Amino acid sequence: GSRLETAEIRRLADEEGLLVKTRIEEGDASQRILDVAVEERCDVIVMGAKKRNWLRRIFGDNTVGKVIHQSPCPVFVVSA
């Protein structure tokens, strides 16, 4: 489940000396992600996207697309 995946990400980040923060926010997902990226002065945003229709989703009216187009830092999209 997601707790195991989060624990694995934290373990890998610790091994590499990287800082990973987890936050729970309410509101419009894309806007909250962008706001937090500014607040936390993020170096990169990592997001998951489903394989099916992946390219269409990136350029369509969706959370990943909005974040990519408005982000103050690079966005790394991984297959979910």
Side-chain angles (χ1 to χ4, degrees), residues 39-57:
E39 290 169 21
E40 296 283 348
R41 294 186 285 161
C42 293
D43 295 319
V44 66
I45 297 171
V46 180
M47 300 183 73
K50 294 179 183 175
K51 286 184 181 180
R52 127 189 109 200
N53 300 321
W54 188 78
L55 289 175
R56 185 179 61 129
R57 289 176 191 242

Side-chain angles (χ1 to χ4, degrees), residues 8-48:
E8 178 66 8
I9 290 168
R10 284 191 180 282
R11 185 188 67 74
L12 292 170
D14 286 344
E15 286 178 4
E16 296 296 324
L18 302 172
L19 174 64
V20 173
K21 291 185 179 181
T22 302
R23 290 174 57 159
I24 298 174
E25 300 283 336
E26 290 184 3
D28 177 72
S30 59
Q31 191 57 56
R32 289 304 307 140
I33 291 167
L34 294 166
D35 291 345
V36 169
V38 170
E39 290 169 21
E40 296 283 348
R41 294 186 285 161
C42 293
D43 295 319
V44 66
I45 297 171
V46 180
M47 300 183 73

